């Protein structure tokens, strides 16, 4: 595992002409940000040694290097989900490589169902903490010595970055919520009873990504900032049917605000 990480990082380092300390996972709602990256050079996942291959046909996935908000950045276009059949090691492999490349701050986004009755579809929710419900832990197995065997998980979502986001939102008049994200394996959306259970367990939002990558980033000492877009509601007594299409439509609508916040965050990071 370690050797593969080194090999991949070395392959990239030999080709890189910039030294980014900021990485972005272009999850749902951040696709547009990719079009704002300038001075780009790009590697398709299929050409990068040891990188997992995307299961979605016609979308190999790309690592995009370039400039955004005056900063060198690297961006993952296309992420690996546990429900697609990837192992946790594969899901989090790119994060291990990011660490080797010198990444210090990671920005992530996702689409999420929402159980908090005060939130609405289209709301942006700063992830202040998470609950890991994935059936396999991404740090299971021999400890990779970027961090301890038993890592502390307080302040996994960097408080200074959260404060910065709140300031930016206030300046720009954007409503930003704050909540706990529950990471689940999917691919089913929740039953009404599951939404109720997750709410009682202390979560505001639920989704099928992010938690594995964030755990590994934290184990590598990478600062993390994440935002969920509420794409559907699982509120007790009013849970309604949800489809992938509805999730996409809601995410696309909220995209401009998400892009604005993240662009500004990267500038100031
Ligand atoms: N549940 C899980 N994952 C999701 C949801 C949801 O309701 N919405 C978007 N991703």
């Amino acid at each position: 595992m370690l050797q593969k990480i080194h090999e991949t990082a070395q392959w990239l380092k030999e080709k890189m002409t910039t030294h980014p300390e900021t990485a972005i996972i272009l999850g749902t709602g951040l696709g547009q940000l990719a079009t704002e990256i300038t001075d780009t050079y790009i590697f398709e996942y299929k050409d990068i040694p040891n990188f997992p291959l995307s299961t979605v046909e016609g979308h190999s996935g790309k690592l995009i290097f370039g400039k955004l908000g005056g900063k060198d950045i690297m961006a993952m276009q296309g992420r690996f989900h546990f429900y697609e059949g990837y192992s946790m090691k594969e899901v989090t492999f790119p994060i291990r490589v990011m660490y080797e490349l010198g990444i210090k701050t990671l920005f992530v986004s996702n689409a999420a169902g929402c159980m908090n009755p005060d939130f609405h579809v289209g709301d942006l929710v700063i992830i202040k903490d998470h609950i890991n419900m994935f059936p396999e832990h991404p740090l299971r197995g021999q400890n990779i010595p970027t961090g301890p065997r038993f890592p502390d998980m307080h302040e996994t979502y960097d408080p200074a970055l959260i404060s910065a986001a709140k300031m930016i939102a206030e300046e720009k008049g954007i409503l930003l919520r704050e909540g706990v994200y529950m990471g689940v394996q999917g691919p089913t959306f929740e039953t009404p009873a599951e939404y109720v259970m997750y709410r009682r367990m202390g979560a505001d939002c639920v989704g099928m990504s992010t938690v594995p990558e964030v755990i590994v980033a934290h184990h590598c000492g990478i600062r993390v900032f994440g935002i969920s877009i509420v794409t559907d509601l699982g509120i007790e007594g009013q849970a309604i049917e949800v489809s992938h299409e509805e999730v996409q439509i809601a995410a696309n609508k909220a995209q401009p605000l998400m892009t604005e916040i993240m662009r500004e965050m990267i500038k100031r990071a």
Side-chain angles (χ1 to χ4, degrees):
M1 179 71 186
L2 256 181
Q3 174 157 5
K4 279 191 174 172
I5 296 162
H6 289 320
E7 213 175 83
T8 305
Q10 198 51 38
W11 188 90
L12 284 165
K13 273 184 198 166
E14 281 165 15
K15 294 166 180 60
M16 284 165 63
T17 52
T18 51
H19 302 283
E21 294 191 352
T22 303
I24 312 158
I25 302 177
L26 297 167
T28 308
L30 274 184
Q32 193 185 309
L33 201 61
T35 64
E36 299 184 16
I37 305 170
T38 62
D39 306 281
T40 55
Y41 56 100
I42 294 172
F43 304 99
E44 295 205 16
Y45 292 167
K46 68 177 168 51
D47 298 327
I48 306 173
N50 306 321
F51 235 68
L53 285 179
S54 185
T55 58
V56 187
E57 232 167 278
H59 294 274
S60 132
K62 296 179 185 119
L63 274 191
I64 306 173
F65 291 82
K67 279 202 183 302
L68 190 67
K71 282 218 157 65
D72 286 345
I73 57 110
M74 74 181 277
M76 276 182 75
Q77 193 172 55
R79 61 151 53 118
F80 304 104
H81 298 93
F82 191 68
Y83 64 74
E84 294 176 272
Y86 297 106
S87 69
M88 275 300 178
K89 293 281 175 289
E90 289 172 316
V91 170
T92 58
F93 185 80
I95 311 296
R96 293 282 177 199
V97 172
M98 283 176 188
Y99 169 76
E100 294 279 323
L101 297 180
I103 293 300
K104 305 273 189 285
T105 310
L106 175 67
F107 294 91
V108 295
S109 74
N110 59 49
C114 169
M115 293 82 73
N116 184 325
D118 297 332
F119 296 0
H120 305 286
V121 168
D123 281 359
L124 299 179
V125 185
I126 295 173
I127 306 175
K128 68 173 178 193
D129 202 351
H130 73 222
I131 300 174
N132 178 18
M133 290 291 281
F134 282 89
E136 187 190 316
H137 200 284
L139 299 181
R140 178 169 177 265
Q142 190 176 15
N143 187 46
I144 295 181
T146 54
R149 170 73 291 187
F150 303 107
D152 179 81
M153 292 298 285
H154 290 87
E155 303 194 342
T156 299
Y157 297 85
D158 191 80
L161 292 175
I162 292 175
S163 298
K166 286 180 181 168
M167 245 169 66
I168 291 165
E170 204 173 308
E171 280 168 30
K172 293 182 178 290
I174 296 172
L175 174 69
L176 266 191
R177 314 277 194 178
E178 207 177 335
V180 173
Y181 177 88
M182 170 87 76
V184 298
Q185 66 170 320
T188 45
F189 292 116
E190 285 62 41
T191 63
E194 286 167 342
Y195 282 125
V196 169
M197 174 177 73
Y198 292 159
R199 178 69 184 148
R200 298 216 174 130
M201 289 169 83
D204 296 286
C205 296
V206 56
M208 306 173 199
S209 66
T210 304
V211 165
E213 294 106 310
V214 166
I215 290 173
V216 169
H218 190 64
H219 188 248
C220 291
I222 295 173
R223 297 194 304 161
V224 175
F225 177 77
I227 294 187
S228 295
I229 295 182
V230 174
T231 56
D232 53 277
L233 301 177
I235 293 168
E236 189 164 6
Q238 52 170 299
I240 37 173
E241 269 184 46
V242 47
S243 70
H244 182 59
E245 288 67 36
E246 281 171 287
V247 166
Q248 288 298 332
I249 290 166
N252 287 340
K253 258 173 97 175
Q255 174 146 278
L257 293 184
M258 169 83 98
T259 306
E260 204 171 337
I261 298 270
M262 287 295 197
R263 186 197 299 121
E264 204 57 36
M265 289 291 291
I266 289 160
K267 234 190 242 175
R268 299 183 194 186

